[in-house]
Amino acid sequence: MTSEKKENWFAAMKSELNSMEKNGVWKLVTLPQGCKPIGSKWVYETKLDSKGQIDRYKARLVAKGFTQKEGIDFNENFSPVSTKDSLRVIMALVAHFDLHLHQMDVKTAFLNGDLEEDIYMV
């Protein structure tokens, strides 16, 4: 891997950490006695433009939630996603009412959930 690529991945990781810090999604604490922390891992993705050229590098710090057990570590889970049907309805409304549609990428969409439990991650 070239040093330029390493710098790009490092910048993407730094951007992710800065975004999480800015949104106050975590705080550094000492693990309480008897608590089992969830592992974490970095997930990397190279975004390409319409010509197939590298547009940007994305890095996400994700929790290894698959190590949790329902009823012990959590009670329910929910992941808001859009479906093709909902997109079709929106596009039909835009066309019918001659509206303008604006697309945007929300980098921290999943950081806005309210948790009732304390989660510890390493």
Side-chain angles (χ1 to χ4, degrees), residues 44-112:
Y44 303 99
E45 188 175 0
T46 306
K47 294 293 196 172
L48 305 176
D49 63 15
S50 60
K51 296 177 184 171
Q53 303 296 317
I54 295 175
D55 183 38
R56 63 191 161 116
Y57 294 86
K58 285 180 72 174
R60 295 286 178 255
L61 182 63
V62 298
K64 295 180 179 178
F66 59 84
T67 61
Q68 295 180 301
K69 301 211 182 309
E70 186 171 4
I72 298 170
D73 299 313
F74 68 94
N75 294 319
E76 64 179 326
N77 59 14
F78 175 72
S79 178
V81 294
S82 64
T83 64
K84 289 180 185 177
D85 291 338
S86 61
L87 179 62
R88 286 187 190 115
V89 169
I90 290 171
M91 296 299 283
L93 291 170
V94 166
H96 180 76
F97 293 108
D98 195 28
L99 301 171
H100 295 278
L101 185 64
H102 176 76
Q103 176 186 345
M104 59 187 259
D105 183 22
V106 180
K107 291 177 67 173
T108 57
F110 294 102
L111 300 180
N112 296 315

Side-chain angles (χ1 to χ4, degrees), residues 5-69:
K5 234 182 198 180
K6 286 180 185 178
E7 287 176 25
N8 289 331
W9 285 122
F10 182 72
M13 293 167 67
K14 206 170 178 182
S15 173
E16 173 77 351
L17 289 172
N18 288 339
S19 179
M20 289 192 293
E21 185 176 5
K22 179 182 170 189
N23 287 294
V25 297
W26 59 269
K27 60 184 171 183
L28 189 60
V29 298
T30 303
L31 184 66
Q33 189 73 17
C35 288
K36 180 182 168 190
I38 299 171
S40 64
K41 110 181 214 177
W42 283 100
V43 177
Y44 303 99
E45 188 175 0
T46 306
K47 294 293 196 172
L48 305 176
D49 63 15
S50 60
K51 296 177 184 171
Q53 303 296 317
I54 295 175
D55 183 38
R56 63 191 161 116
Y57 294 86
K58 285 180 72 174
R60 295 286 178 255
L61 182 63
V62 298
K64 295 180 179 178
F66 59 84
T67 61
Q68 295 180 301
K69 301 211 182 309

